[in-house]
């Protein structure tokens, strides 16, 4: 490479860093701009015809170092198949859990792939929570369905090599989801080329046989670096994934660190890594490459791989070898010739893939900017939206915009506009959205699935990361007689004063949505409650009525109430009065909104963070209602937030006044107004100030208060965990994942299970996802263990709820998953939590009314 080219590449390094790294927080909401270095990099990838698929269980399981290395160093088309969307995890940046967390984590994975250059796939498997063995995992997931998804995705993507993140030979030694992902991958490797395996797929897909299957091993799987050094490496390959890319001005592991840091809701934000770093893969199936530095050794990854490809390669290799960094448009003629040849390839798979790549390059070398922006971020079926079209040719190439068409409609504008150098062309199209247009929402949430598997009726959607957009714009361009159609999604472009230009997806929403303020409503007595319903207009001048639907035994003051909202985006609150039955009961309430002859039963949940595009999720407009005969003592609760949960809202519903405490403000004697202090989940892991406030918390207990500490994770990085209790207490990784496992009450005479609510083993019925996690496994004799529980085949765990008197009050440590149970409306969990808060308070008779 000439000194001139190297000099020019150095000059554009800072551009790459500005566009790719410093703007990371807004990456997903800004336009993708390509430098000459990016274009050249894309041409290198265009000239590599090889694919790699990485497989694991969850978002954030993927090895971004290896994905980035294969994508950016090897230049292979690389994808990650995450079997689940991570619904069962926790959320460190917000309140989204379960389905909404899965949507958030899906977008974080897509953000990571935009950084490391990979693609993203998913199966229908649902992350139902921690599983200790693949037998349990595969039973809950429905092995046949999820295995079929893996087979389908491999047949569709056609990888040459597959890499498993986890070891299929170690069932029971790690998360059951992890081992299951590897086991399914190993089995699918042999099934994808079997015509008897999932034959229904073969109506639209072809058989395929990957060449090699690897396991991404490391010293961690061997227990120590010493053991790994001694291990037989005859079937292993090593790669230095710390390689530096002068072309991009960044090393591979720096890219990988930025990609991994997109998993913000899981606390994966991290410092960038630089320098040599080895990754190892162990061959499981197929032939071992002779050249152990090349995972594709022996596989033809040149254009000669496809019939008719040799002529394409002759053109494109020349473009790569003689690329002009100062004038990329110089190569347009050759790129158009190659495009014409690719368009005529018989191999439909490579034709589709490479046409997409080369068309992106053609746009980039000419500086063509094509945009279709709606006048607002959303509209409704049957409504109209003005679409602003912008086209700019920022090269001296002769290009004519022949027409612009909204795909799948009859809206077409014949323009025949010559796109002169840097002369912007603008015009408008009025899009009338057909009445039968589907709403924008994650496709996997459209139907009710099972505990372990999402239901997706449209097989063409299986594997896709997102729901395909409803509308695209086709720009037909003429390059001196050769025409190419470029398809762009319709977006919404806007600006914020503190962030500049931003983009949102253009979405199709109902005319109106309605929601309950709380997804679970708790009635601690027979009194009626005012239930506010928030109605949101997604259209101007909206009038209608909302119907409140409830089950027998529950009564509402008025079945329907009318509303009128003038402006799109505005909300109106309508209040119903709901009276519970006299006896304990669990049921559901729902809403039906009638406008313009339509009945709408959806609520809109919006997920908005800077690092992902804003997401609109339509869910059933319903809530769970629970009538509890529950008693409580005390009134004022101080809550110190941890990693995010909804427990304060839950406690408010049974009559407690909950005040959030900023740990930085805690001073001596400053907690006396509270009856109890509750620490949110993982508070000691995420709140640094707590280690300086322990004395004041312990003094609060000494003076007669109750301190409830919910679960934390043990880690060498969290030194403050050594003194979270006034007595010796050692945290472990013990957990009970079966939410239906038997619970024995050990301390049957302890007030915690008798006062003010009697707790029996039946109160542990109906728990969700798990019993609890990260229980202590060692504690001093000052603590009383209250409960015993275990998963099948394991020893009893007695550390889920520990209580120790301290001074006049009580210190309580619990790993029980109240953060899941209370928001789910689990009756027994509410009673037990009320008992913890009431411990040591003035006793009342079993027939007394709730105090407060």
């Amino acid at each position: 490479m000439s000194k001139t080219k190297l000099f020019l590449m150095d000059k554009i390094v800072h551009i790459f860093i500005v566009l790719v790294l410093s703007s990371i927080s807004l990456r997903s909401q800004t336009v993708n701009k390509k430098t000459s270095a990016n274009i050249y990099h894309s041409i290198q990838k265009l000239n590599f015809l090889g694919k790699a698929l990485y497989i694991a269980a969850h978002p954030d399981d993927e090895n971004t170092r290896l994905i980035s290395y294969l994508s950016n160093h090897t230049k292979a088309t690389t994808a990650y198949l995450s079997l689940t969307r991570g619904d069962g995890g926790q959320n460190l940046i917000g309140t989204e859990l379960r389905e909404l967390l899965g949507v958030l984590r899906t977008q974080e994975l897509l953000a990571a792939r935009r950084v490391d250059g990979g693609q993203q796939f998913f199966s229908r498997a649902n992350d139902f929570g921690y599983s200790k063995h693949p037998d349990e995992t595969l039973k809950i997931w429905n092995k046949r369905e999820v295995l079929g998804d893996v087979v389908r995705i491999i047949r569709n993507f056609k990888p040459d090599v597959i890499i498993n993140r986890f070891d299929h030979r170690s069932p029971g030694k790690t998360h059951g989801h992890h081992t299951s992902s590897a086991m399914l991958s190993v089995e699918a490797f042999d099934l994808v080329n079997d015509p008897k395996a999932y034959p229904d797929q073969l109506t639209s897909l072809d058989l395929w046989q990957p060449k090699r299957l690897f396991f991404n091993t490391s010293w961690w799987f061997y227990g120590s670096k010493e053991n790994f050094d001694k291990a037989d490496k005859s079937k292993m390959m090593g790669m230095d994934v710390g390689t530096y890319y002068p072309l991009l001005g960044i090393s591979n592991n720096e890219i990988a660190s930025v990609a991994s840091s997109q998993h913000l809701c899981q606390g994966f934000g991290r410092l960038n890594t630089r320098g040599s770093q080895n990754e190892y893969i162990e061959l499981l199936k197929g032939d071992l490459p002779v050249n152990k530095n090349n995972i594709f050794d022996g596989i033809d990854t040149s254009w000669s791989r496809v019939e008719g490809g040799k002529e394409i390669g002759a053109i494109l290799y020349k473009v790569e070898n003689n690329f002009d960094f100062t004038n990329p448009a110089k190569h347009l003629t050759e790129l158009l010739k190659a495009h014409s040849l690719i368009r005529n390839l018989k191999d439909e798979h490579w034709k589709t893939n490479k046409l997409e790549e080369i068309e992106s390059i053609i746009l980039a070398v000419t500086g063509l900017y094509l945009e279709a922006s709606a006048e607002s971020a959303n509209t409704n079926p049957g409504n109209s939206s003005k679409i602003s079209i912008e086209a700019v040719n920022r090269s001296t190439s002769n290009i004519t915009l022949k027409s612009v068409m909204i795909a799948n409609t009859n809206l077409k504008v014949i323009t025949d506009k010559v796109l002169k150098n840097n002369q912007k062309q603008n015009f408008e199209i009025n899009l009338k959205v057909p009445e039968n247009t589907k709403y924008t929402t994650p496709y996997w949430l459209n139907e009710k699935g099972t505990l372990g598997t999402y239901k997706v009726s449209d097989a063409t959607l299986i594997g896709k990361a997102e729901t395909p957009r409803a509308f695209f714009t086709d720009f037909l361009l003429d390059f001196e007689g050769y025409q190419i159609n470029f398809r762009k999604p319709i977006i919404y472009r806007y600006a914020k004063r503190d962030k500049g230009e931003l983009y949102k997806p253009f979405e199709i929403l109902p005319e109106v949505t309605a929601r309950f303020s709380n997804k679970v409503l708790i009635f601690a007595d027979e009194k009626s409650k005012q239930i506010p319903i928030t109605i949101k207009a997604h259209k101007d001048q909206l009038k209608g009525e909302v119907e409140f639907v409830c089950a027998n035994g529950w009564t509402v003051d008025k079945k329907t109430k009318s509303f009128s909202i003038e402006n799109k985006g505005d909300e109106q609150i309508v209040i119903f009065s709901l009276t519970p039955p006299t006896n304990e009961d669990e049921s559901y309430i729902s809403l039906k909104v009638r406008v313009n002859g339509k009945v709408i039963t959806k609520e809109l949940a919006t997920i908005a963070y800077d690092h992902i595009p804003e997401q609109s999720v339509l869910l059933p407009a319903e809530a769970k209602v629970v009538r509890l005969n529950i008693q409580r003592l005390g009134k004022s609760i101080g809550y110190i937030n941890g990693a995010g949960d909804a427990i304060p809202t839950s406690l408010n519903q049974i009559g407690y006044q909950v005040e959030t405490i900023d740990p930085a403000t805690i001073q001596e004697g400053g907690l006396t107004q509270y009856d109890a202090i509750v620490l949110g989940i993982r508070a000691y892991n995420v709140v640094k100030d707590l280690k300086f406030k322990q004395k004041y918390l312990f003094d609060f207990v000494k003076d007669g208060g109750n301190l409830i500490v919910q679960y934390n994770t043990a880690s060498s990085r969290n030194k403050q965990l050594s003194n979270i209790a006034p007595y010796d207490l050692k945290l472990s990784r013990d957990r009970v994942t079966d939410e239906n496992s038997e619970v024995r009450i050990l301390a049957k005479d302890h007030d915690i299970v008798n006062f003010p609510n009697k707790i029996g083993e039946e109160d542990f019925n109906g728990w969700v996802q798990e019993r609890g996690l990260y229980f202590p496994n060692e504690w001093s004799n000052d603590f009383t263990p209250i409960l015993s529980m275990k998963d099948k085949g394991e020893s009893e765990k007695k550390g889920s709820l520990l209580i120790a008197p301290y001074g006049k009050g009580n210190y309580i440590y619990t790993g029980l998953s109240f953060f899941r149970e209370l928001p789910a409306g689990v009756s027994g969990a509410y009673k037990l939590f009320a008992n913890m808060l009431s411990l040591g308070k003035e006793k009342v008779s079993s027939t007394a009314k709730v105090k407060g």
Side-chain angles (χ1 to χ4, degrees):
M1 186 177 292
S2 69
K3 291 182 178 180
T4 301
K5 287 183 179 179
L6 288 173
F7 173 77
L8 289 169
M9 284 188 287
D10 285 340
K11 287 292 187 182
I12 60 178
V13 161
H14 77 281
I15 300 174
F16 176 83
I17 294 172
V18 168
L19 294 180
V20 178
L21 296 182
S22 64
S23 63
I24 188 66
S25 64
L26 299 177
R27 180 190 316 279
S28 303
Q29 302 179 54
T30 56
V31 70
N32 181 24
K33 304 176 180 69
K34 284 196 171 183
T35 66
S36 292
N38 299 135
I39 297 170
Y40 179 71
H41 186 64
S42 296
I43 291 171
Q44 290 179 310
K45 289 177 68 66
L46 177 66
N47 283 334
F48 190 94
L49 278 69
K51 291 188 172 185
L53 180 64
Y54 198 87
I55 298 179
H58 310 106
D60 74 39
D61 280 346
E62 85 276 31
N63 186 336
T64 54
R65 296 182 298 276
L66 199 49
I67 291 174
S68 179
Y69 180 87
L70 292 171
S71 177
N72 296 299
H73 179 271
T74 307
K75 306 299 189 299
T77 301
T78 308
Y80 173 43
L81 166 55
S82 175
L83 293 193
T84 78
R85 296 177 186 266
D87 312 63
Q90 281 104 55
N91 186 355
L92 295 182
I93 63 173
T95 58
E96 294 87 2
L97 290 174
R98 292 304 309 156
E99 293 88 352
L100 294 181
L101 179 60
V103 176
L104 170 57
R105 297 187 73 182
T106 293
Q107 291 301 317
E108 289 187 335
L109 264 183
L110 288 171
R113 298 294 79 78
R114 282 188 286 272
V115 176
D116 60 33
Q119 299 178 27
Q120 185 63 52
F121 300 116
F122 293 94
S123 81
R124 288 172 292 171
N126 190 353
D127 178 8
F128 57 83
Y130 192 88
S131 177
K132 292 182 177 178
H133 201 280
D135 288 349
E136 177 196 43
T137 298
L138 295 173
K139 180 179 179 181
I140 294 175
W141 273 356
N142 186 330
K143 178 186 174 182
R144 174 168 173 74
E145 286 193 5
V146 178
L147 176 60
D149 290 356
V150 177
V151 170
R152 176 185 293 276
I153 291 163
I154 294 173
R155 284 173 171 171
N156 182 55
F157 183 61
K158 298 185 184 302
D160 298 296
V161 295
I162 297 174
I163 304 173
N164 294 342
R165 182 69 176 108
F166 299 104
D167 190 352
H168 69 290
R169 300 160 294 194
S170 56
K173 293 183 179 179
T174 183
H175 197 322
H177 296 184
H178 292 168
T179 311
S180 294
S181 70
M183 293 170 67
L184 293 174
S185 175
V186 170
E187 192 168 348
F189 185 88
D190 296 322
L191 293 179
V192 292
N193 202 35
D194 183 353
K196 296 180 182 179
Y198 302 97
D200 55 304
Q201 297 178 5
L202 299 177
T203 58
S204 58
L205 300 173
D206 298 322
L207 296 175
W208 179 251
Q209 185 56 63
K211 302 296 191 297
R212 295 163 186 147
L213 175 66
F214 295 94
F215 160 46
N216 184 193
T217 189
S218 71
W219 69 263
W220 188 88
F221 292 97
Y222 286 77
S224 69
K225 292 181 179 179
E226 291 75 17
N227 289 342
F228 185 66
D229 290 339
K230 298 174 185 176
D232 178 9
K233 296 185 177 62
S234 60
K235 289 189 175 182
M236 288 189 196
M237 296 176 61
M239 290 163 278
D240 183 354
V241 295
T243 184
Y244 178 70
Y245 303 127
L247 184 67
L248 302 178
I250 193 171
S251 63
N252 184 77
N253 38 13
E254 285 178 287
I255 293 174
S257 297
V258 176
S260 182
S261 289
Q262 300 311 294
H263 298 295
L264 296 182
C265 74
Q266 302 304 298
F268 269 52
R270 61 185 61 182
L271 291 171
N272 290 351
T273 302
R274 285 163 287 276
S276 181
Q277 194 172 9
N278 290 322
E279 283 289 341
Y280 294 90
I281 54 175
E282 175 191 354
L283 183 72
L284 299 177
K285 287 178 178 287
D287 62 308
L288 186 68
V290 175
N291 179 1
K292 287 193 174 185
N293 293 316
N294 180 10
I295 193 173
F296 287 92
D297 182 46
I299 300 172
D300 188 358
T301 58
S302 72
W303 276 105
S304 298
R305 178 173 189 161
V306 295
E307 183 182 344
K310 189 174 181 180
E311 188 179 355
I312 300 169
I315 297 170
L316 292 178
Y317 294 137
K318 184 178 179 181
V319 172
E320 179 181 343
N321 293 331
N322 298 281
F323 186 72
D324 191 331
F325 284 85
T326 60
N327 182 24
K330 168 184 173 182
H331 303 289
L332 179 60
T333 300
E334 294 101 318
L335 291 170
L336 292 173
K337 287 179 183 177
H339 185 280
S340 176
L341 294 171
I342 295 172
R343 183 182 269 174
N344 292 315
L345 284 175
K346 294 180 180 179
D347 189 318
E348 290 293 329
H349 177 75
W350 284 113
K351 178 170 75 173
T352 300
N353 280 258
K354 292 305 178 180
L355 277 177
E356 183 178 345
E357 290 182 41
I358 197 170
E359 286 170 6
S360 176
I361 293 170
I362 289 170
L363 287 178
V365 299
T366 55
L368 272 164
Y369 184 83
L370 306 174
E371 179 186 277
S373 178
E375 61 184 327
S376 63
N378 59 73
T379 190
N380 330 111
N383 205 2
S384 296
S385 180
K386 183 175 67 177
I387 309 298
S388 297
I389 304 298
E390 180 178 333
V392 188
N393 169 24
R394 291 171 289 190
S395 74
T396 58
S397 304
N398 294 322
I399 304 172
T400 300
L401 179 60
K402 300 294 290 184
S403 67
V404 179
M405 180 177 181
I406 306 297
N408 302 319
T409 73
N410 58 2
L411 295 172
K412 185 174 183 178
V413 177
I414 306 297
T415 58
D416 258 341
K417 293 276 188 182
V418 176
L419 299 179
K420 297 180 180 179
N421 182 24
N422 216 27
Q423 299 299 305
K424 183 170 60 174
Q425 294 288 340
N426 292 99
F427 48 94
E428 294 178 351
I429 297 177
N430 190 48
L431 170 62
K432 177 68 182 295
V433 179
E435 286 282 0
N436 62 352
T437 304
K438 293 181 179 179
Y439 300 139
T440 303
T441 194
Y443 70 86
W444 61 94
L445 299 179
N446 277 330
E447 302 178 76
K448 187 174 180 61
T450 65
L451 172 64
T453 314
Y454 287 116
K455 183 177 180 182
V456 180
S457 298
D458 184 353
T460 64
L461 294 174
I462 295 173
K464 293 185 182 297
E466 299 180 284
T467 304
R469 290 287 150 186
F471 296 103
F472 291 83
T473 305
D474 289 333
F475 294 82
L476 182 61
L477 297 180
D478 185 286
F479 300 85
E480 295 186 351
Y482 184 74
Q483 296 184 356
I484 302 177
N485 184 71
F486 296 92
R487 175 162 287 188
K488 295 285 185 177
I490 297 176
I491 50 85
Y492 170 60
R493 181 164 62 104
Y494 67 109
K496 284 188 174 182
R497 290 188 176 185
D498 59 338
K499 293 179 181 177
E501 182 181 81
L502 297 172
Y503 288 74
K504 281 185 181 181
F506 177 60
E507 304 190 320
I508 309 302
L509 299 177
E511 295 177 14
V512 64
T513 52
R515 70 178 188 275
F516 294 99
S517 298
N518 296 305
K519 296 298 289 181
V520 174
L521 298 163
I522 306 297
F523 290 75
D525 52 35
E526 300 176 26
K527 295 179 182 178
S528 300
K529 278 191 176 184
Q530 300 295 298
I531 310 298
I533 308 300
T534 302
I535 301 169
K536 184 166 187 174
H538 305 290
K539 183 179 181 180
D540 290 334
Q541 298 178 347
L542 201 64
K543 292 184 179 181
E545 65 176 20
V546 57
E547 177 183 348
F548 194 111
V549 182
C550 56
N552 291 335
W554 297 78
T555 57
V556 65
D557 60 335
K558 192 175 181 181
K559 187 175 182 181
T560 62
K561 294 189 178 183
S562 60
F563 64 89
S564 177
I565 305 176
E566 187 69 21
N567 298 314
K568 178 180 178 178
D570 202 359
E571 295 180 340
Q572 181 177 332
I573 295 178
V574 177
I575 297 177
F576 290 84
S577 179
L578 181 64
T579 304
T582 56
N583 299 320
E584 290 193 342
D585 184 71
E586 293 186 7
S587 184
Y588 285 87
I589 53 177
S590 60
L591 301 170
K592 293 181 179 179
V593 185
R594 293 181 173 86
V595 292
N596 301 324
K598 301 175 184 177
V599 178
I600 298 167
T601 60
K602 298 292 185 181
E603 72 167 78
L604 173 65
T606 301
I607 303 175
Y609 295 96
D610 282 347
H611 65 302
I612 64 167
E614 185 173 297
Q615 299 295 297
S616 295
V617 185
L618 294 171
L619 299 170
E622 64 181 21
K624 184 178 181 180
V625 286
V626 180
R627 167 69 173 93
L628 278 179
N629 288 320
I630 188 172
Q631 298 180 43
R632 63 170 177 78
L633 282 85
K635 185 174 183 179
S636 181
I637 307 299
Y639 202 89
I640 299 175
N641 287 324
D645 60 59
I647 287 181
T649 300
S650 300
L651 297 181
N652 282 329
Q653 291 208 52
I654 58 173
Y656 283 105
Q657 295 178 2
V658 184
E659 180 181 336
T660 301
I661 299 174
D662 179 357
T665 66
I666 298 176
Q667 299 296 331
E668 185 174 358
L671 302 175
T672 56
Q673 70 271 34
Y674 301 111
D675 295 301
I677 302 293
V678 182
L679 272 62
I681 58 174
R682 297 177 63 184
Y684 286 103
N685 297 135
V686 299
V687 183
K688 293 181 179 179
D689 282 338
L690 272 180
K691 64 183 177 182
F692 305 115
K693 305 297 179 176
Q694 281 297 94
K695 177 183 184 302
Y696 305 124
L697 293 174
F698 291 162
D699 286 346
F700 167 77
V701 181
K702 268 186 183 179
D703 293 337
N706 289 332
L707 177 63
I708 300 174
V709 179
Q710 297 183 83
Y711 93 90
N712 288 267
T713 58
S715 169
S716 59
R717 293 177 297 175
N718 286 284
K719 304 297 183 183
Q720 64 207 82
L721 295 183
S722 60
N723 67 337
I724 63 173
Y727 308 111
D728 289 341
L729 183 72
K730 183 178 180 181
L731 305 185
S732 74
R733 299 186 66 83
D734 287 351
R735 63 201 302 163
V736 175
T737 62
D738 182 359
E739 64 269 34
N740 298 310
S741 63
E742 180 185 1
V743 176
R744 291 195 306 115
I745 299 176
L746 300 175
K748 294 184 178 180
D749 295 329
H750 199 287
D751 280 351
I752 200 74
V753 291
N754 290 286
F755 173 76
N757 303 286
K758 180 69 175 177
I759 301 296
E761 293 174 1
E762 68 279 2
D763 287 300
F764 294 91
N765 295 335
W767 282 50
V768 298
Q769 188 159 325
E770 62 204 351
R771 290 296 188 198
L773 59 172
Y774 298 106
F775 300 160
N777 62 352
E778 295 180 22
W779 52 84
S780 76
N781 292 331
D782 301 279
F783 285 100
T784 299
I786 305 299
L787 306 171
S788 172
M789 57 190 70
K790 65 177 181 176
D791 280 323
K792 183 179 179 180
E794 294 192 354
S795 61
E796 286 191 316
K797 305 295 186 288
K798 299 180 180 181
S800 64
L801 180 58
L802 302 171
I803 300 173
Y806 185 67
K808 299 177 183 178
N810 297 279
Y811 176 93
I812 303 171
Y813 188 93
T814 179
L816 293 171
S817 59
F818 288 109
F819 71 102
R820 298 196 191 281
E821 313 313 321
L822 298 190
V826 178
S827 302
Y830 272 92
K831 292 178 180 179
L832 182 54
F833 210 98
N835 282 12
M836 292 193 300
L837 295 171
S838 304
L839 192 61
K841 308 300 180 186
E842 178 188 355
K843 294 192 175 183
V844 294
S845 69
S846 60
T847 59
K849 294 183 178 180
V850 174
K851 290 191 174 184

